[in-house]
Amino acid sequence: MGELLLISVTKWGGRKTPGGSGGIYLIDFKTKRILKKLEVSNERSSRTFGGITYDKEYIYAAIMQDEKNDVIWIIDPSHFQVVKILEIPKIYDVHQIDIYEDILWITNTNYNEIVAVEKNSGKELGRFCVDPSQPEECVLKPIDKKKYKDYDYKKRIHINSIHIEKGEIFLTCFGFEKGNFNSSQLISVSWKRRNSQIIFGGLKTWDVLCFSWNWTNGLSELRWKRKEEKMPKQRRHYSPEKKVEILREHFKNK
């Protein structure tokens, strides 16, 4: 989109209660003006929009329909009007979405899943659960600690972002093995298409990355998973530019 930025925004209502609001905005970088917008409120859910992506024809946006289901809105970018709604069974708390060729890829965060559908029809092509041992996230409330005695709520995966390349899916999450930023936050899953079905292969964890958010002072930390490699031996605060520089250098040497 050149020097234009397309974003989705959600404003929470009360936690787990109706009253969420939000919008989709097309912003001009140079003038810092909102060129187009689609704003909504939701009386059936605490949130509205989640992930957003686009192709040459349409904008695709995940939106929370109620406290059990999400849907995908297909939007005409010329008029910012909804032209179609994809209702996909059992998707909830969708975070980022991505398009590769004619496939829409969805982070089905509540269920710890990746879901692949045809981008125009919503026909399901396949789904992959990153960790079937974990209960769905929406049931993990503090009052349920007795119900899940052997499960640590902070160790949930919680998938956030997705990026698709030919034959490989990249996901970022809270932490694959231990959760809560204590293990690999970057994982990948191999895939291939066979007729009208997506076949998922093996899952791989990437050693390095561990970004965490320090809620007390709003600073972001970079933590290294130390092995025998020459990496910082303690936590340090870095600027966003320094983080990018470090990561590029690291992957250049892989």
Side-chain angles (χ1 to χ4, degrees), residues 22-252:
I24 295 174
Y25 302 89
L26 184 64
I27 301 172
D28 188 312
F29 262 71
K30 285 187 175 180
T31 64
K32 300 180 181 179
R33 291 175 54 245
I34 297 175
L35 303 180
K36 296 178 183 179
K37 62 183 179 180
L38 173 61
E39 295 179 319
V40 299
S41 59
N42 192 342
E43 296 304 319
R44 294 187 294 171
S45 175
S46 58
R47 284 179 285 165
T48 55
F49 291 108
I52 189 169
T53 188
Y54 63 92
D55 60 15
K56 292 180 180 180
E57 295 182 279
Y58 297 111
I59 298 166
Y60 300 78
I63 184 167
M64 195 168 279
Q65 182 170 256
D66 51 44
E67 290 298 331
K68 293 184 178 179
N69 303 283
D70 287 12
V71 294
I72 304 295
W73 281 9
I74 301 179
I75 300 164
D76 179 350
S78 301
H79 309 288
F80 261 46
Q81 294 180 339
V82 179
V83 296
K84 192 171 185 178
I85 297 176
L86 303 182
E87 296 184 359
I88 302 160
K90 203 177 177 182
I91 64 168
Y92 179 58
D93 195 19
V94 172
H95 281 44
Q96 192 176 7
I97 58 179
D98 195 14
I99 287 178
Y100 185 84
E101 295 177 345
D102 61 340
I103 304 171
L104 177 65
W105 298 83
I106 299 167
T107 56
N108 192 13
T109 302
N110 180 65
Y111 296 99
N112 312 307
E113 287 182 334
I114 311 160
V115 180
V117 302
E118 290 182 351
K119 67 178 184 180
N120 293 323
S121 69
K123 178 184 175 182
E124 187 173 316
L125 303 174
R127 60 175 68 207
F128 177 85
C129 185
V130 174
D131 187 352
S133 69
Q134 293 201 45
E136 61 176 288
E137 191 166 306
C138 68
V139 303
L140 297 176
K141 302 174 183 178
I143 58 173
D144 292 333
K145 288 182 178 179
K146 292 182 180 179
K147 186 176 179 181
Y148 297 101
K149 292 181 180 179
D150 298 327
Y151 187 84
D152 184 346
Y153 175 67
K154 292 183 178 180
K155 292 182 181 178
R156 68 198 191 283
I157 293 175
H158 192 90
I159 302 169
N160 281 302
S161 301
I162 187 169
H163 171 71
I164 310 298
E165 295 185 359
K166 184 177 181 180
E168 196 158 22
I169 306 159
F170 293 91
L171 301 168
T172 62
C173 53
F174 277 4
F176 178 69
E177 294 165 341
K178 298 179 181 178
N180 202 24
F181 307 112
N182 292 323
S183 59
S184 178
Q185 289 178 270
L186 179 62
I187 60 179
S188 61
V189 180
S190 60
W191 69 279
K192 61 183 177 181
R193 186 167 186 173
R194 183 180 297 163
N195 300 322
S196 59
Q197 187 177 8
I198 298 297
I199 308 298
F200 295 95
L203 183 150
K204 174 185 175 183
T205 60
W206 295 68
D207 284 335
V208 188
L209 311 188
C210 235
F211 288 113
S212 65
W213 183 257
N214 186 327
W215 293 100
T216 57
N217 58 18
L219 293 176
S220 186
E221 295 179 344
L222 176 62
R223 296 189 293 175
W224 293 98
K225 192 174 181 182
R226 297 193 303 274
K227 286 194 173 180
E228 295 177 357
E229 303 175 28
K230 293 181 179 179
M231 295 182 178
K233 295 182 179 180
Q234 59 185 3
R235 297 185 187 184
R236 299 178 185 176
H237 293 290
Y238 294 100
S239 68
E241 294 78 13
K242 182 62 176 178
K243 288 179 185 178
V244 172
E245 179 186 335
I246 292 171
L247 298 180
R248 282 178 175 166
E249 185 65 24
H250 179 80
F251 282 111
K252 184 174 72 174

